[in-house]
mmCIF file with all atom_site columns, all heavy atoms in Angstrom:
data_model
loop_
_atom_site.group_PDB
_atom_site.id
_atom_site.type_symbol
_atom_site.label_atom_id
_atom_site.label_alt_id
_atom_site.label_comp_id
_atom_site.label_asym_id
_atom_site.label_entity_id
_atom_site.label_seq_id
_atom_site.pdbx_PDB_ins_code
_atom_site.Cartn_x
_atom_site.Cartn_y
_atom_site.Cartn_z
_atom_site.occupancy
_atom_site.B_iso_or_equiv
_atom_site.pdbx_formal_charge
_atom_site.auth_seq_id
_atom_site.auth_comp_id
_atom_site.auth_asym_id
_atom_site.auth_atom_id
_atom_site.pdbx_PDB_model_num
ATOM 1  N N   . ALA B 1 26  ? 5.576  -3.267  -18.112 1.00 98.00 ? 692 ALA B N   1
ATOM 2  C CA  . ALA B 1 26  ? 4.146  -3.201  -17.797 1.00 98.00 ? 692 ALA B CA  1
ATOM 3  C C   . ALA B 1 26  ? 3.453  -2.028  -18.492 1.00 98.00 ? 692 ALA B C   1
ATOM 4  O O   . ALA B 1 26  ? 2.268  -2.112  -18.798 1.00 98.00 ? 692 ALA B O   1
ATOM 5  C CB  . ALA B 1 26  ? 3.945  -3.110  -16.286 1.00 98.00 ? 692 ALA B CB  1
ATOM 6  N N   . VAL C 1 261 ? -2.809 -8.792  -17.895 1.00 98.00 ? 356 VAL C N   1
ATOM 7  C CA  . VAL C 1 261 ? -2.180 -9.269  -16.667 1.00 98.00 ? 356 VAL C CA  1
ATOM 8  C C   . VAL C 1 261 ? -2.413 -8.234  -15.577 1.00 98.00 ? 356 VAL C C   1
ATOM 9  O O   . VAL C 1 261 ? -2.214 -7.040  -15.790 1.00 98.00 ? 356 VAL C O   1
ATOM 10 C CB  . VAL C 1 261 ? -0.668 -9.469  -16.850 1.00 98.00 ? 356 VAL C CB  1
ATOM 11 C CG1 . VAL C 1 261 ? -0.046 -10.019 -15.570 1.00 98.00 ? 356 VAL C CG1 1
ATOM 12 C CG2 . VAL C 1 261 ? -0.380 -10.386 -18.021 1.00 98.00 ? 356 VAL C CG2 1
ATOM 13 N N   . TYR C 1 278 ? 6.466  -8.702  -11.771 1.00 98.00 ? 373 TYR C N   1
ATOM 14 C CA  . TYR C 1 278 ? 5.882  -8.593  -13.110 1.00 98.00 ? 373 TYR C CA  1
ATOM 15 C C   . TYR C 1 278 ? 6.919  -8.863  -14.195 1.00 98.00 ? 373 TYR C C   1
ATOM 16 O O   . TYR C 1 278 ? 6.608  -9.451  -15.235 1.00 98.00 ? 373 TYR C O   1
ATOM 17 C CB  . TYR C 1 278 ? 5.236  -7.218  -13.347 1.00 98.00 ? 373 TYR C CB  1
ATOM 18 C CG  . TYR C 1 278 ? 4.692  -7.168  -14.750 1.00 98.00 ? 373 TYR C CG  1
ATOM 19 C CD1 . TYR C 1 278 ? 3.553  -7.900  -15.078 1.00 98.00 ? 373 TYR C CD1 1
ATOM 20 C CD2 . TYR C 1 278 ? 5.365  -6.495  -15.763 1.00 98.00 ? 373 TYR C CD2 1
ATOM 21 C CE1 . TYR C 1 278 ? 3.087  -7.944  -16.372 1.00 98.00 ? 373 TYR C CE1 1
ATOM 22 C CE2 . TYR C 1 278 ? 4.896  -6.532  -17.070 1.00 98.00 ? 373 TYR C CE2 1
ATOM 23 C CZ  . TYR C 1 278 ? 3.763  -7.260  -17.363 1.00 98.00 ? 373 TYR C CZ  1
ATOM 24 O OH  . TYR C 1 278 ? 3.301  -7.320  -18.651 1.00 98.00 ? 373 TYR C OH  1
ATOM 25 N N   . GLY C 1 294 ? -2.110 -5.940  -22.157 1.00 98.00 ? 389 GLY C N   1
ATOM 26 C CA  . GLY C 1 294 ? -1.947 -4.821  -21.239 1.00 98.00 ? 389 GLY C CA  1
ATOM 27 C C   . GLY C 1 294 ? -1.655 -5.353  -19.853 1.00 98.00 ? 389 GLY C C   1
ATOM 28 O O   . GLY C 1 294 ? -1.961 -6.512  -19.551 1.00 98.00 ? 389 GLY C O   1
ATOM 29 N N   . ALA C 1 295 ? -1.030 -4.525  -19.040 1.00 98.00 ? 390 ALA C N   1
ATOM 30 C CA  . ALA C 1 295 ? -0.717 -4.932  -17.672 1.00 98.00 ? 390 ALA C CA  1
ATOM 31 C C   . ALA C 1 295 ? -1.189 -3.849  -16.717 1.00 98.00 ? 390 ALA C C   1
ATOM 32 O O   . ALA C 1 295 ? -1.272 -2.671  -17.097 1.00 98.00 ? 390 ALA C O   1
ATOM 33 C CB  . ALA C 1 295 ? 0.786  -5.141  -17.514 1.00 98.00 ? 390 ALA C CB  1
ATOM 34 N N   . TRP C 1 296 ? -1.494 -4.240  -15.516 1.00 98.00 ? 391 TRP C N   1
ATOM 35 C CA  . TRP C 1 296 ? -1.987 -3.308  -14.513 1.00 98.00 ? 391 TRP C CA  1
ATOM 36 C C   . TRP C 1 296 ? -1.449 -3.780  -13.172 1.00 98.00 ? 391 TRP C C   1
ATOM 37 O O   . TRP C 1 296 ? -1.599 -4.945  -12.831 1.00 98.00 ? 391 TRP C O   1
ATOM 38 C CB  . TRP C 1 296 ? -3.525 -3.313  -14.519 1.00 98.00 ? 391 TRP C CB  1
ATOM 39 C CG  . TRP C 1 296 ? -4.072 -1.986  -14.164 1.00 98.00 ? 391 TRP C CG  1
ATOM 40 C CD1 . TRP C 1 296 ? -4.480 -1.573  -12.931 1.00 98.00 ? 391 TRP C CD1 1
ATOM 41 C CD2 . TRP C 1 296 ? -4.272 -0.873  -15.054 1.00 98.00 ? 391 TRP C CD2 1
ATOM 42 N NE1 . TRP C 1 296 ? -4.896 -0.270  -12.996 1.00 98.00 ? 391 TRP C NE1 1
ATOM 43 C CE2 . TRP C 1 296 ? -4.793 0.178   -14.274 1.00 98.00 ? 391 TRP C CE2 1
ATOM 44 C CE3 . TRP C 1 296 ? -4.058 -0.671  -16.418 1.00 98.00 ? 391 TRP C CE3 1
ATOM 45 C CZ2 . TRP C 1 296 ? -5.101 1.428   -14.820 1.00 98.00 ? 391 TRP C CZ2 1
ATOM 46 C CZ3 . TRP C 1 296 ? -4.370 0.573   -16.954 1.00 98.00 ? 391 TRP C CZ3 1
ATOM 47 C CH2 . TRP C 1 296 ? -4.895 1.605   -16.158 1.00 98.00 ? 391 TRP C CH2 1
#
Side-chain angles (χ1 to χ4, degrees):
Chain C
V356 182
Y373 179 72
W391 212 264

